Amino acid sequence: MAQIFPRWTNKMPAVLILIITGGLVSAIGFFWYFGSPKFTDVGYRPKQPVPFSHKLHAGDLGMDCRYCHTQVEFSAHANIPPTQTCINCHKIIATDSEKLLPVRESWAEDKPINWVRVHELPDYAYFNHAVHINAGVGCVSCHGNVRAMPEITQSEPLSMSWCLDCHRDPDMNLRPASAITDMEWKPSDDHLKFVAQLKAEKNISPPTDCAACHR
Amino acid sequence: MKMKSELKNKKYWRSINQLVDSPDFRKKLYNEFPSLDTNGDDPIDRRTFISIMGASLALATFSGCRRPLEEIVPYVKNPEDIVIGQPLQYATTLSIGSTAYGVLVRSREGRPIKIEGNEAHPSSLGGTNTFMQASILGLYDPDRSEHIYRKGIVKSWDQFVEFWRSIRPEYIESGGEGLAVLSEAFNSPTLHSLKQEFARQYPKATWVVYEPVSDENISQGIKIATGKSLLPRYNFDKAAVILSLDSDFLNLETDSVVNSRKFMDSRRLKSERDSMNRLYCVESSFTLTGAIADHRLRMKSSLIGSLTYALAQELKRSGLKITLPGGLGMTTTGSYSEKWLRITAQDLLKNRGKSLVVAGRRQPASVHVLTTLINEALGNVGSTVDYYDSSQISQSSIKNFASLSTDITAGKVSTLIMLGGNPAYNAPDNFDFKNLLKKVRNSVHMSLYRDETGMHSDWHVSEAHYLEAWGDTRSLDGTTSVVQPLIEPLYGSHSQIEMMNLIISGLDTNGYELVRDTWTKIFNRLDDKAIWRRTIHDGVYKGSEVQTVNIAIQSDTVTDDLRRYAKVVNKLDRKALEVVLMADSNVFDGRFANNGWLQEIPDPVTKIMWDNAACISPKTADDLGVSSNDLVKLTLGNNSLEIPIWIQPGQANQSISLTLGYGRDQSGRVGNAIGFNTYKLRTSDNLDFGIGLKVAATGETHAFACSQDNHSMEGRPIIREATLTEYRDHPNFAPEMIDTFPLESLWEDHKYTEGYQWGMAIDLNTCTGCNGCAIACQSENNVPVVGKEQAALGREMHWIRLDRYYNGDENDPEMVHQPVACQHCEMAPCEQVCPTAATVHSKEGLNTMAYNRCVGTRYCANNCPYKVRRFNFFNFTKDLPEVEKMVQNPDVTVRSRGIMEKCTYCIQRINAAKVTAKLDGRDVQDGEVVPACQAACPTNAIVFGNINDPDSAVSKQKKLNRNYEMLKEFNTRPRTSYLAKIRNPNPLMEKV
């Protein structure tokens, strides 16, 4: 009697296993990579109502971050400045710039500017700027080199595992208070010695409990 | 130990169903998921549910692909003082009738979100009650009146001003002929001076004050006894023996918050060597004061007068110099033994100057005459009771209200201005106020709600909430305080003082200027501006207290009055059924009917939610052949009412008590058509109680939502209590009440010796069961309101519940309350079964919830022996009106459907304190973290702190020998512990 299945079918189970496993692995890999905040969120750069350039203000003109984000050292939120802060200078500088029209309108009509949020955490995560700044975590650690950004862009994934990486080992992200807003600061050779000292002095032991951020 | 076994044998029960072990109760107890028991009438069955779920899941997969766009909207000009994310606190004052409660209001970015007590205010001392806590929700009530109406058509304030200016000259000319004002009771310096101005401007006009629940009887009684307009303030902290006559001074009487604090100050036992006060209580319906009492005597409210007279006689016989007229011939027999009376009298006599007799506001004036005589004779005046001049207070007067209605009937009133109040709903039924309103040409009603009265008035003017407008109030002791707005009126409403100023002067003046003018006169000093700023900051004008008034008994008027009263008492049909009408613990007189928090919090005694009932004793129910849930028709004279029966253990026989404030039809979405309108039985002859009630069954039944059997912890020694004598004999009775074998863990123990270790101690001896903590928690933690249907299934969401237990005879039991929230066990049963590690332990010993990890298996709730976990069966918050969402605390996650939640020890407050300490470079100090429940508690029964610090307040509490951990035998090692309750019965009385 002739064989029902040709000989090559003997290889089928192995091939099938290979295809299924390969498919599964690539599917998981696909979502692992393309679904992670590293891919979906990093590089997020929405269009803002006013094309405000951090590169121009904080970079070229050398303004300190805290000129606008005044409350970052003592509040949970690094506040977006009120229109008044813009007008402080722009009542004199570039008074007829078309780009600044929404700012002048806001000031004249007493209507706020609706900025688009870039760095967004889920509502069930409570981040506090003040404790991080006071512990010695620089702006650049989470926000990237803002001084080089013509348009503000998310540069880190801001995912929970990314937060935890630093909470478990914060050493490389700690810096002296004088360099908090410095985007070009580089750790010195005896950085670890400095960190040990800072940690002892400020009692820095980043919590990894759920309740540290979730409540 | 004999004693130990006796204490152990005390049987506690929560409901009669449990006491008789009815099949219903067992069914509920052994049902693994009582909250899923929908009795088969759920419109969606499992299959439909799964198919709907499948479809929505498929759709949801795709809708999640796009990143939501979120905006940041900064200020144009940053207001001074506002730091985004940092709360600000402002002092202001809440008035309920003529009582003022000083509060501190927390505001986030200009939005008031939480109420706390103001320590500097004499009627708060830092404590709050449910009404104060829930008043914040009233601000954001979407059913509040937003407009001004004339005959149902929306008008503007300017149009109203124009209207008034057009008719004002007529009244100026006639001296106010035909003009009348009907206001609520008040004690506001500005409104008081406007009232005087009104009388000058319109000499022929009248100003009538009406409150459905008032202290009129008390002030009348004192006036008869002393000839002066006075009101009492009690110093319970100075009293060793207290006799309460139908007075719920711990819950519903005036100044209950500060009364509770001072009363409990004498009950904070540090050891068995301390002494405590003793409370005798005579009352008809079970109240929270009766629950605390060491001796409670059930008695019809109508007979308490004769008991008071008998007591005065007994005191006189025992040699007390009391100005009691003899030969009144008052019948004094009643449902009490002579021995009870004698022992109580002896105890009062033994404690002259340290005793106190208090009668409730529902007792007639003559009873207050008698208590004034007794207190004066016992030397208590100036010690345990102080009298203050009340002539500045505009108090309710039913007599004036009656003459106003006569005037209206006679057509003598052409314009009636109603400042607040809701007389069309809550005036005595015999006045038929709704129809009276038709006889007034111009009726103007100003109120927070367009309610029953607003709907029947020509003009309805929306009133500003107390958090929106300037005003002022005065406490009885003279302390003046400012009512400071925290937010611009949401609907552009105006305040009562602005309205009255318009009525008088025709000028539309800002409330701030009016208040400021009054206060310039109050201060009368040069550094006016500085002291004004100081007063605004503190909430009270320090040093404005007035002197107490000395009293002298006027024997003539006393004799006349008591003669008259003896006749009234002797005429009483002592066997007839009586009905008692009293304020409700949740909605008071109906003014809080539209407040979801207050509707859903179980009544502290009956544990009924979203309803009122006719409370009746088990024996009387038997006699009448009715049982709980039966809808009956009550008839009193010409008035009748249908209302369901609730069998209430501890209710006096032959006495049915009804609470006011329900059955409204113009209250709003929350309060409409809930409960039964008991004002229908209330006439000016029986404002407080009536005799000769007839009960007829209708054959129908009513379904209650009652939490008394929810979350039951079957038959274990959960409550531990002893008498003072037993405590002295066995100081360690509480921890020793259960036999614990050496408890070992299956797992390696965590080391909780470093850093902060949070813990809580709750003193059952000072807890009154008032629900203040529960509402505070609801407000702080965004706890949703679920509604009557869901609540009836046991799905209420309160993170802290007040378990109420009875023990003893079903007709005359004792009552104990126990607040139960998450115990934060170190060996938490919930953590061990969570499949997603959504509930885990923190290094600081907290049992935490990560909501975003929870998948809603509810294993944790099932495994929790304390039954403190709450599941969101629906998304209760999503569909709330936008304005109501404004009350939510931005520091706490708003939970969604399918999520488990429970007490977090107010983790947001712990974290805030830790951040502040960290920024200051120091450790968190003891007392820096105050959870919402502790902050609200009027008696300081709850103490929270770091148990790792041996000197912290909570560690000290936990070291007391009354300390015990609930269900310790399960090796759960709870962080919350309880201090056992101690009662102080008179040893002589036990033999009665």
Side-chain angles (χ1 to χ4, degrees):
Chain A
M1 203 177 93
Q3 301 265 338
I4 295 175
F5 291 104
R7 197 170 188 80
W8 61 266
T9 52
N10 286 351
K11 288 181 193 151
M12 273 311 279
V15 171
L16 271 177
I17 287 170
L18 215 68
I19 291 174
I20 290 168
T21 336
L24 267 175
V25 167
S26 39
I28 291 170
F30 180 87
F31 283 106
W32 193 286
Y33 182 75
F34 293 105
S36 86
K38 227 180 223 168
F39 182 83
T40 57
D41 291 14
V42 173
Y44 178 56
R45 185 171 53 206
K47 195 177 172 327
Q48 300 289 354
V50 181
F52 175 81
S53 167
H54 277 82
K55 180 173 179 292
L56 174 65
H57 292 83
D60 303 349
L61 298 172
M63 288 165 66
D64 190 90
C65 306
R66 290 163 292 191
Y67 179 80
C68 300
H69 303 289
T70 48
Q71 297 167 358
V72 68
E73 287 172 302
F74 47 88
S75 171
H77 302 278
N79 60 310
I80 300 299
T83 313
Q84 192 174 23
T85 308
C86 312
I87 292 295
N88 281 347
C89 298
H90 285 293
K91 65 182 173 209
I92 308 168
I93 302 158
T95 46
D96 48 3
S97 160
E98 207 168 296
K99 289 178 188 167
L100 282 168
L101 192 64
V103 176
R104 289 195 298 274
E105 270 174 13
S106 157
W107 185 245
E109 290 164 24
D110 199 24
K111 276 191 187 137
I113 303 168
N114 292 24
W115 299 95
V116 182
R117 185 172 199 133
V118 177
H119 300 92
E120 189 186 354
L121 295 182
D123 290 348
Y124 48 77
Y126 289 83
F127 178 81
N128 189 307
H129 275 90
V131 267
H132 288 86
I133 295 287
N134 283 279
V137 180
C139 308
V140 71
S141 297
C142 308
H143 295 289
N145 189 357
V146 174
R147 286 199 178 138
M149 294 180 192
E151 275 179 274
I152 203 79
T153 312
Q154 183 169 337
S155 67
E156 299 291 341
L158 306 185
S159 62
M160 188 166 99
S161 68
W162 175 84
C163 290
L164 280 170
D165 284 346
C166 181
H167 269 235
R168 289 187 178 125
D169 179 19
D171 290 6
M172 292 319 286
N173 288 312
L174 293 175
R175 53 175 69 200
S178 55
I180 282 295
T181 60
D182 192 344
M183 304 278 161
E184 271 88 39
W185 181 84
K186 291 277 175 307
S188 60
D189 295 340
D190 57 352
H191 181 67
L192 289 182
K193 211 173 116 197
F194 157 75
V195 165
Q197 211 181 351
L198 185 76
K199 276 169 139 179
E201 182 196 325
K202 293 203 166 169
N203 189 18
I204 297 170
S205 55
T208 49
D209 290 320
C210 305
C213 312
H214 302 300
R215 43 176 131 118
Chain B
M1 250 192 320
K2 180 181 164 278
M3 144 83 204
K4 203 170 120 182
S5 58
E6 258 174 31
L7 284 175
K8 228 177 173 176
N9 285 340
K10 224 169 190 179
K11 189 185 173 191
Y12 290 93
W13 41 281
R14 287 188 181 186
S15 63
I16 292 179
N17 268 344
Q18 184 184 5
L19 185 67
V20 300
D21 207 14
S22 76
D24 270 358
F25 177 76
R26 294 218 77 78
K27 191 180 150 221
K28 190 159 186 173
L29 186 63
Y30 289 112
N31 185 349
E32 194 172 0
F33 301 107
S35 48
L36 294 184
D37 189 6
T38 51
N39 296 325
D41 53 7
D42 203 330
I44 296 180
D45 63 10
R46 192 181 57 88
R47 276 173 183 230
T48 327
F49 178 74
I50 287 175
S51 52
I52 293 173
M53 269 305 282
S56 40
L57 193 71
L59 288 170
T61 316
F62 295 101
S63 67
C65 286
R66 188 184 278 170
R67 182 180 170 125
L69 193 81
E70 192 167 311
E71 286 182 335
I72 300 181
V73 187
Y75 291 104
V76 175
K77 279 183 205 160
N78 207 55
E80 204 180 353
D81 298 335
I82 286 196
V83 173
I84 309 287
Q86 301 285 58
L88 290 170
Q89 264 194 336
Y90 296 92
T92 183
T93 322
L94 161 70
S95 298
I96 297 175
S98 55
T99 320
Y101 295 99
V103 293
L104 297 178
V105 186
R106 195 167 77 210
S107 167
R108 275 290 300 269
E109 287 88 44
R111 181 164 58 88
I113 55 164
K114 179 78 177 61
I115 306 263
E116 310 281 13
N118 183 357
E119 266 172 53
H121 195 275
S123 296
S124 158
L125 299 180
T128 49
N129 58 13
T130 49
F131 302 140
M132 291 159 83
Q133 287 291 343
S135 66
I136 191 93
L137 188 64
L139 170 67
Y140 300 116
D141 188 341
D143 297 332
R144 248 179 70 195
S145 171
E146 297 177 24
H147 304 291
I148 294 171
Y149 293 89
R150 182 178 201 180
K151 299 192 197 299
I153 295 159
V154 176
K155 299 275 170 182
S156 69
W157 170 254
D158 289 338
Q159 281 168 313
F160 177 73
V161 172
E162 207 176 292
F163 156 77
W164 176 251
R165 283 180 184 155
S166 71
I167 63 168
R168 183 170 165 268
E170 175 191 326
Y171 290 110
I172 292 282
E173 208 166 289
S174 68
E177 183 105 50
L179 178 63
V181 173
L182 175 59
S183 78
E184 295 179 285
F186 60 88
N187 189 4
S188 148
T190 302
L191 198 52
H192 182 71
S193 67
L194 284 167
K195 189 180 168 187
Q196 287 170 326
E197 185 63 37
F198 177 79
R200 270 196 296 275
Q201 178 79 274
Y202 306 110
K204 288 180 192 155
T206 49
W207 187 310
V208 174
V209 180
Y210 173 70
E211 280 284 343
V213 178
S214 79
D215 285 345
E216 194 184 353
N217 289 339
I218 301 179
S219 104
Q220 265 186 4
I222 297 172
K223 177 119 194 184
I224 295 165
T226 68
K228 292 178 188 166
S229 296
L230 304 171
L231 278 172
R233 248 180 95 88
Y234 305 112
N235 304 314
F236 286 99
D237 49 338
K238 292 182 186 158
V241 173
I242 297 141
L243 169 63
S244 152
L245 301 162
D246 221 9
S247 168
D248 189 8
F249 63 83
L250 293 175
N251 187 30
L252 284 168
E253 296 277 330
T254 300
D255 263 348
S256 61
V257 175
V258 58
N259 284 349
S260 302
R261 164 72 62 84
K262 289 185 170 174
F263 178 84
M264 289 305 180
D265 277 347
S266 309
R267 295 204 155 211
R268 296 178 208 283
L269 300 177
K270 292 284 170 219
S271 78
E272 67 280 2
R273 290 180 296 279
D274 285 357
S275 59
M276 62 192 268
N277 63 15
R278 177 176 295 142
L279 172 63
Y280 298 86
C281 185
V282 186
E283 60 183 10
S284 53
S285 60
F286 222 142
T287 66
L288 290 185
T289 308
I292 296 294
D294 302 299
H295 292 287
R296 178 173 181 272
L297 182 64
R298 299 183 296 144
M299 185 181 258
K300 289 162 78 174
S301 283
S302 52
L303 298 185
I304 288 176
S306 50
L307 172 100
T308 316
Y309 181 66
L311 176 80
Q313 273 185 322
E314 177 66 36
L315 288 168
K316 197 175 185 180
R317 262 202 298 281
S318 311
L320 187 72
K321 282 201 190 107
I322 181 166
T323 357
L324 188 73
L328 295 180
M330 196 192 291
T331 324
T332 51
T333 53
S335 54
Y336 60 92
S337 73
E338 288 299 319
K339 199 169 173 194
W340 193 98
L341 194 69
R342 206 166 56 242
I343 292 170
T344 311
Q346 287 309 321
D347 215 2
L348 289 169
L349 278 172
K350 249 193 297 176
N351 289 285
R352 291 185 198 199
K354 291 184 295 171
S355 55
L356 180 58
V357 181
V358 191
R361 49 161 67 122
R362 55 176 176 270
Q363 284 298 318
S366 303
V367 175
H368 295 278
V369 172
L370 287 165
T371 55
T372 314
L373 295 184
I374 295 171
N375 279 327
E376 199 267 343
L378 285 169
N380 295 334
V381 178
S383 138
T384 56
V385 55
D386 287 326
Y387 290 98
Y388 287 94
D389 178 50
S390 66
S391 53
Q392 303 267 312
I393 307 177
S394 291
Q395 292 185 77
S396 175
S397 162
I398 193 73
K399 211 176 97 195
N400 293 353
F401 188 81
S403 66
L404 174 71
S405 81
T406 319
D407 284 354
I408 295 176
T409 317
K412 286 186 199 158
V413 176
S414 52
T415 298
L416 176 66
I417 315 276
M418 289 166 281
L419 291 181
N422 187 6
Y425 166 72
N426 64 23
D429 192 69
N430 51 321
F431 295 123
D432 194 11
F433 198 83
K434 235 177 241 180
N435 282 325
L436 279 187
L437 276 177
K438 290 181 194 152
K439 300 201 175 107
V440 181
R441 181 150 50 94
N442 307 306
S443 51
V444 180
H445 178 240
M446 180 181 219
S447 172
L448 284 172
Y449 295 91
R450 190 164 175 236
D451 51 24
E452 290 82 348
T453 312
M455 295 301 272
H456 289 87
S457 306
D458 291 338
W459 282 92
H460 164 77
V461 181
S462 65
E463 187 190 337
H465 193 262
Y466 83 101
L467 294 170
E468 296 177 330
W470 283 95
D472 51 13
T473 69
R474 203 191 290 108
S475 302
L476 188 56
D477 72 350
T479 308
T480 1
S481 52
V482 178
V483 178
Q484 174 185 204
L486 273 95
I487 192 168
E488 279 274 320
L490 294 172
Y491 311 115
S493 318
H494 292 77
S495 66
Q496 294 190 3
I497 52 174
E498 286 167 340
M499 168 68 109
M500 272 330 289
N501 180 63
L502 173 73
I503 299 295
I504 295 163
S505 64
L507 298 173
D508 183 10
T509 315
N510 187 303
Y512 175 76
E513 286 168 41
L514 299 170
V515 173
R516 195 66 186 84
D517 279 354
T518 320
W519 282 71
T520 310
K521 282 175 214 143
I522 291 177
F523 296 137
N524 193 23
R525 39 197 281 186
L526 286 173
D527 58 344
D528 175 273
K529 213 167 200 168
I531 194 97
W532 169 249
R533 288 183 69 89
R534 181 89 237 151
T535 305
I536 299 262
H537 172 269
D538 295 343
V540 295
Y541 175 30
K542 285 191 181 133
S544 53
E545 298 89 343
V546 293
Q547 292 288 311
T548 58
V549 179
N550 291 327
I551 61 162
I553 302 296
Q554 308 286 309
S555 51
D556 300 352
T557 46
V558 167
T559 312
D560 289 350
D561 181 71
L562 292 181
R563 276 226 173 91
R564 183 196 57 79
Y565 185 57
K567 280 183 205 141
V568 175
V569 170
N570 291 346
K571 258 199 288 183
L572 274 183
D573 182 356
R574 301 174 92 84
K575 297 243 168 63
L577 205 54
E578 88 172 358
V579 61
V580 181
L581 293 150
M582 49 196 236
D584 189 88
S585 295
N586 294 357
V587 301
F588 197 61
D589 55 5
R591 70 182 71 201
F592 299 113
N594 209 46
N595 192 309
W597 293 351
L598 288 172
Q599 286 283 6
E600 193 153 292
I601 200 78
D603 180 278
V605 173
T606 62
K607 293 287 152 193
I608 294 176
M609 303 172 267
W610 296 96
D611 246 323
N612 62 343
C615 290
I616 185 167
S617 78
K619 180 173 180 302
T620 311
D622 258 4
D623 294 347
L624 294 171
V626 291
S627 61
S628 277
N629 301 23
D630 284 357
L631 199 65
V632 293
K633 187 172 181 182
L634 303 182
T635 312
L636 185 69
N638 299 326
N639 296 48
S640 66
L641 162 71
E642 280 189 10
I643 188 166
I645 288 283
W646 184 257
I647 295 183
Q648 175 59 47
Q651 178 84 18
N653 292 336
Q654 295 289 306
S655 176
I656 291 185
S657 69
L658 309 175
T659 63
L660 302 167
Y662 282 89
R664 299 201 35 193
D665 47 22
Q666 296 295 338
S667 136
R669 278 166 263 202
V670 176
N672 280 352
I674 282 185
F676 303 85
N677 182 0
T678 48
Y679 282 104
K680 284 185 191 164
L681 277 194
R682 208 177 194 221
T683 59
S684 47
D685 296 331
N686 48 44
L687 284 174
D688 303 297
F689 45 79
I691 292 134
L693 184 77
K694 290 187 189 70
V695 180
T698 61
E700 286 170 50
T701 57
H702 175 81
F704 284 112
C706 177
S707 71
Q708 67 179 353
D709 287 333
N710 293 352
H711 316 294
S712 175
M713 300 185 278
E714 193 194 2
R716 299 168 182 131
I718 288 162
I719 296 265
R720 298 182 195 173
E721 77 174 304
T723 65
L724 192 57
T725 331
E726 287 165 340
Y727 178 41
R728 283 179 177 153
D729 293 345
H730 306 274
N732 291 320
F733 79 95
E736 286 171 3
M737 202 177 269
I738 46 154
D739 303 310
T740 44
F741 36 88
L743 293 167
E744 273 178 43
S745 161
L746 284 172
W747 293 274
E748 203 180 316
D749 280 354
H750 297 277
K751 284 196 187 65
Y752 293 118
T753 47
E754 285 180 353
Y756 310 114
Q757 296 300 328
W758 307 111
M760 185 182 273
I762 303 177
D763 190 349
L764 295 183
N765 206 33
T766 53
C767 171
T768 62
C770 72
N771 282 335
C773 51
I775 301 275
C777 173
Q778 186 150 29
S779 171
E780 171 76 15
N781 291 304
N782 303 336
V783 174
V785 172
V786 302
K788 184 180 173 183
E789 269 176 40
Q790 295 293 314
L793 292 169
R795 293 174 178 180
E796 73 271 18
M797 300 295 293
H798 304 122
W799 285 5
I800 185 166
R801 65 173 193 270
L802 270 295
D803 280 344
R804 183 269 287 117
Y805 293 91
Y806 299 112
N807 79 75
D809 178 64
E810 70 166 317
N811 274 297
D812 195 10
E814 283 182 339
M815 191 193 289
V816 198
H817 284 91
Q818 181 182 37
V820 184
C822 175
Q823 308 280 308
H824 291 268
C825 315
E826 268 157 36
M827 300 289 293
C830 52
E831 290 170 15
Q832 292 153 15
V833 294
C834 179
T836 58
T839 183
V840 287
H841 232 58
S842 84
K843 284 195 195 71
E844 296 172 358
L846 299 175
N847 170 253
T848 59
M849 269 302 299
Y851 300 122
N852 46 314
R853 264 193 186 171
C854 178
V855 294
T857 62
R858 284 173 286 137
Y859 294 158
C860 55
N862 214 16
N863 212 33
C864 173
Y866 304 100
K867 300 290 156 224
V868 293
R869 290 185 156 259
R870 301 285 174 268
F871 186 68
N872 286 278
F873 280 87
F874 296 94
N875 192 337
F876 295 110
T877 314
K878 196 171 117 196
D879 297 328
L880 287 182
E882 282 304 309
V883 64
E884 207 174 333
K885 289 181 183 167
M886 281 169 71
V887 80
Q888 275 158 353
N889 184 355
D891 286 331
V892 177
T893 309
V894 175
R895 283 80 58 188
S896 181
R897 188 203 302 114
I899 302 294
M900 190 58 77
E901 60 182 70
K902 49 123 221 152
C903 161
T904 62
Y905 271 170
C906 283
I907 179 85
Q908 66 282 7
R909 294 191 178 202
I910 297 177
N911 283 355
K914 276 166 65 186
V915 167
T916 313
K918 195 110 191 168
L919 297 185
D920 293 354
R922 57 174 175 85
D923 285 338
V924 175
Q925 305 296 304
D926 189 32
E928 218 177 330
V929 186
V930 183
C933 52
Q934 180 185 1
C937 182
T939 66
N940 292 343
I942 302 176
V943 180
F944 178 85
N946 182 6
I947 50 176
N948 217 12
D949 168 10
D951 296 325
S952 68
V954 65
S955 296
K956 283 181 188 156
Q957 288 288 90
K958 281 178 184 278
K959 269 180 227 147
L960 300 182
N961 53 15
R962 288 187 289 132
N963 186 64
Y964 73 93
E965 281 126 28
M966 205 190 345
L967 304 183
K968 187 189 179 186
E969 60 273 31
F970 293 172
N971 200 19
T972 50
R973 301 187 204 167
R975 288 268 171 143
T976 300
S977 60
Y978 293 87
L979 301 183
K981 186 174 175 68
I982 307 292
R983 283 190 206 264
N984 184 17
N986 191 336
L988 298 171
M989 197 72 101
E990 279 172 31
K991 291 161 202 148
V992 176

